[in-house]
Amino acid sequence: MPISVVIGSQWGDEGKGKIVDLLSQEVDIVARYQGGANAGHTICWGDKTFVLHLVPSGIFHEGVTCVIGNGVVIDPKAVLDEIRMITDLGYDVQGRLLISHNAHLIMPYHKALDQARERYRDAEAIGTTGRGIGPAYMDKFARTGIRVVDLLDRDVLRAKITRAVEEKNAMLTGIYGAEGVDVDAIIEEYVEFDKFIDPFVTDTTQYLNQELKAGKHILAEGAQGSLLDVDFGTYPYVTSSHPTVGGCCTGLGVPPTEIKRVIGIVKAYCTRVGNGPFVTELNDEMGERLRQVGHEFGATTGRPRRTGWLDLVALRYTSMINGLTDYAITKLDVLTGLDEIKVCTHYRYNGTLHERFPSEVQTLEKVEPVYETLPGWKEDITGCERFEDLPVEAREYLQFMVRHTGVDISMVSTGPKREQTILSERERLLVTA
Ligand code: IMP
């Protein structure tokens, strides 16, 4: 059995948590491959809502094993809190949650540096989640990071942390005017953490490859979104990892030839948190309506999300770089009640129309969206069980998306609950190009 990958096709917060939770029913393993506790994957059942930051959303399916891969940066506090929350809900994680021994750890100085650097950049701040993600990946690539495997040898751990703290404290106090961190307190905290996570740590790359050979089906879960990818996103307003499909191979150690399906999660409109260009942004009543009806407030930071119309130029780009095989459309119900809906099909720059997404932020900040206006619908769609049950205008909206991107739709989410989803039957797609 192959690997299926779930990818955020916009700037994150597309509703991946719900889709991964649904797809988990059909797979053996769910594996997270990048990012850290900057992500917030929301799952709703009945009247309960849970937010997971690190543990893959498949954990609530008893038969599924969840993996936190080597590409993830792990915040001990976040992982401990999450394991406790899942256990308190009555789910056994022992033997079902595996953490890569090669994953890098987020250290207290990463969080301190992330926050201090953002204050220092002031008007040019990226708008990070402040969870230490950028500084942790900086250390990984500077080859000064601390990995889960380093917790095993206390002497090595102490030496590495001591060296790192000397350098980081010089930066924190000398450059950013912030407070330094205490070496002994960090060592104590991380030694305690080691005792707790030890039973979960393993060579997840060996495990995943062995399970692939045994015919198991893996669902690889990307966090954030493709437009936040450090290479392909709106650099420098990006996260420090690869939410795109390539991150799956490097973040888990699985071969690309095993990837058979790449599902792009697409919110029916766009949102973004943090700074950076957003061509279809709405700073008006319509933007506020999308924010309120769609509950567009960050699952990790609570920040109000910026909102705007669907951007097909950006979606064509992320569909291309990920080789998306199909879309899962989320939050279609949020558009219910509008007289008309705009969709951006092209950008205008210096008087000419552009179909392609520009790579530099300077151009992206200057382009204007070119919209087509489609009719809206008034009927409540939250109970629709089949594609044919949707109002004709909603179906046309989805068909328009497929026509302009060439990617088929296999799932449509019409509300936050599991059952509020229109699924394609077996191999039959809902809308085809
Ligand atoms: P960082 O990942 O905390 O370094 O933040 C970098 C950028 O990515 C900021 O604009 C964040 O708001 C954004 N970001 C990080 N994680 C998420 C997420 O899970 N959803 C949406 N945006 C995110």
Side-chain angles (χ1 to χ4, degrees), residues 63 97 129 135 148 164 205 236 254 287 294 360 366 419:
L97 176 65
T129 57
V148 170
T205 297
V254 291
E360 344 73 72
K366 289 192 203 113
E419 56 278 14

Side-chain angles (χ1 to χ4, degrees), residues 56-82:
S57 318
I59 200 73
F60 298 119
H61 294 266
E62 300 280 4
V64 169
T65 303
C66 289
V67 172
I68 299 182
N70 56 280
V72 176
V73 282
I74 298 179
D75 179 348
K77 186 170 168 355
V79 93
L80 290 182
D81 286 351
E82 229 156 88

Side-chain angles (χ1 to χ4, degrees), residues 131-313:
R131 299 291 196 270
I133 307 298
Y137 280 112
M138 280 168 72
D139 271 356
K140 171 173 175 167
F141 288 97
R143 295 157 293 177
T144 51
I146 296 177
R147 300 191 297 172
V148 170
V149 68
D150 294 325
L151 295 170
L152 287 177
D153 187 324
R154 297 289 139 86
D155 294 334
V156 172
L157 183 69
R158 175 170 282 278
K160 282 194 167 190
I161 295 181
T162 307
R163 234 181 355 258
V165 167
E166 268 168 30
E167 187 193 0
K168 309 301 180 196
N169 275 353
M171 288 161 81
L172 281 166
T173 57
I175 302 175
Y176 301 119
E179 266 185 42
V181 293
D182 178 50
V183 137
D184 291 326
I186 297 178
I187 292 171
E188 199 179 315
E189 184 188 341
Y190 280 68
V191 166
E192 275 309 301
F193 171 63
D194 178 44
K195 289 183 198 150
F196 187 88
I197 62 148
D198 194 50
F200 301 102
V201 177
T202 189
D203 183 339
T204 52
T205 297
Q206 284 294 345
Y207 168 77
L208 289 171
N209 282 283
Q210 159 207 312
E211 295 302 287
L212 272 175
K213 278 220 165 69
K216 299 284 169 61
H217 189 173
I218 299 175
L219 184 69
E221 179 184 19
Q224 288 87 42
S226 302
L227 296 169
L228 289 174
D229 186 283
V230 68
D231 271 288
F232 301 106
T234 52
Y235 193 89
Y237 299 100
V238 292
T239 191
S240 299
S241 66
H242 292 290
T244 46
V245 69
C248 166
C249 296
T250 53
L252 295 175
V254 291
T257 41
E258 293 288 341
I259 298 175
K260 296 293 183 286
R261 186 178 177 195
V262 190
I263 309 155
I265 315 299
V266 183
K267 184 146 49 181
Y269 49 97
C270 281
T271 61
R272 172 165 203 169
V273 265
N275 302 329
F278 181 177
V279 177
T280 60
E281 183 166 16
L282 292 167
N283 287 308
D284 57 8
E285 267 178 36
M286 183 58 73
E288 191 52 34
R289 183 204 177 275
L290 291 175
R291 186 173 306 113
Q292 293 305 329
V293 178
H295 306 291
E296 297 296 353
F297 297 89
T300 300
T301 59
R303 289 182 289 180
R305 295 179 184 141
R306 300 158 64 193
T307 52
W309 296 120
L310 183 66
D311 182 345
L312 295 180
V313 181

